[in-house]
Structures are given as structure tokens and as C-alpha cells.
Amino acid sequence: GWNIWSTYVAPEDPNMDAIFSDIVNDIVICKDEGGAVYWPAFGLNGIVNITDAEGYQVKASSDVTLEVTGALLDPSMEFSIEAGWGIIGYVKPGPSDADDMMSPLTNVVIMKDENGSVYWPQFGLNGIGNMTAGEGYQIKMDADAMFSYAPGSGRLAYVEPIRTIHY
């Protein structure tokens, strides 16, 4: 399946070939929010280098762990989010409640994680719970915005999944 990832470090080498070098045989394809692809089977690297605070969709042929080393990004760094659909990265090293992180941003229509859980402020929904390091999020905005993650309250969300039980 597809995963959405980001990094909270500035990699020593930001080139996609270097990022995926240890697991390249397990990578089917990786896409950025603009549709550029890293497709190792065909020798394509249209993304070239990763961009801080951006997220990427990746499809792997098996479960693998991506390890990226580098200096921690500034968790309060400012970055732009364009109107329409995009993919953002979570640049803080520790988890924080999605509502705490995103509520200052008034232009969010909806945000989804790789499992389809949503943060939908119009309806007061936070199915994502905590945003976590290394994860990326698909986001739909109704206008361009400059954004930086809030320092956070240190509060961690707990989301209890709803299960139907038959007796």
C-alpha cells in the first residue's frame, strides 16, 4: 500500500537516490504533491531532492524502515502551504495533538493521514489524534498560507476507535 512520509531532519544528502539507497530494491514509486516521481525501476528521479516540511507518498513492495540521518529541523520553521490539495510533513520530533497543531491555521478544509483518518475542523473532528514524526499528511486548503507548527501544549490526544460488536 501507500504510505505518506516526511522527515524532521535535514538529511546529510537530500537527493532521493541517497535517501532511499539502503531500501531502493523495496521502493516501487514515490510521488510529491506536484506529481513528480522517484521511480527507481526506470531510473527516474523527477523529485531530485526532498524539501523540508514536505510530505511524500511512497509505495513499497514490502514492509521496510526508512532511516534518514541529519540535523534536526527547527520545529517552528515557517513554510508555505498552497490552496488545493498538498502533502505536508510534520517537522517536530515529538508527537502532538493535530487540533493543537493545526487550529491556528484557518484555511484548512480537511487533512488526512495515510490510513484515511481525518482532521476536519469544520465538523470538529480529529480522527488523526497525534501528528507524529516521520509522517506526512494530505491537506486541502481553501487559500495559500504561511504556516509554522505551534509550540504545543504537550497534550497528547487519545482516539478511541469505534468498533461494532456483535453478540
Side-chain angles (χ1 to χ4, degrees), residues 1-7 11-32 36-41 44-51 54-69 134:
W2 289 92
N3 292 297
I4 306 172
W5 68 276
S6 71
T7 180
E12 294 165 357
D13 185 345
N15 188 280
M16 295 299 278
D17 290 318
I19 297 283
F20 287 112
S21 64
D22 290 342
I23 59 170
V24 71
N25 294 329
D26 297 300
I27 300 302
V28 176
I29 193 169
C30 180
K31 301 187 299 186
D32 70 9
V37 298
Y38 170 70
W39 205 344
L44 297 174
N45 185 2
I47 297 172
V48 185
N49 294 330
I50 69 166
T51 302
E54 285 193 14
Y56 300 87
Q57 291 179 302
V58 65
K59 185 171 186 166
S61 59
S62 61
D63 290 343
V64 292
T65 300
L66 176 63
E67 293 183 21
V68 180
T69 57

Side-chain angles (χ1 to χ4, degrees), residues 74-123:
D74 177 356
S76 64
M77 68 178 282
E78 189 173 53
F79 57 97
S80 67
I81 308 174
E82 295 178 0
W85 281 101
I87 308 172
I88 61 170
Y90 180 69
V91 298
K92 298 177 74 165
S96 293
D97 179 62
D99 190 49
D100 285 352
M101 294 297 101
M102 303 309 292
S103 62
L105 191 58
T106 59
N107 315 68
V108 176
V109 176
I110 192 168
M111 184 172 74
K112 301 187 300 184
D113 67 12
E114 67 189 23
N115 300 313
S117 299
V118 298
Y119 166 72
W120 205 346
Q122 176 184 357
F123 298 103

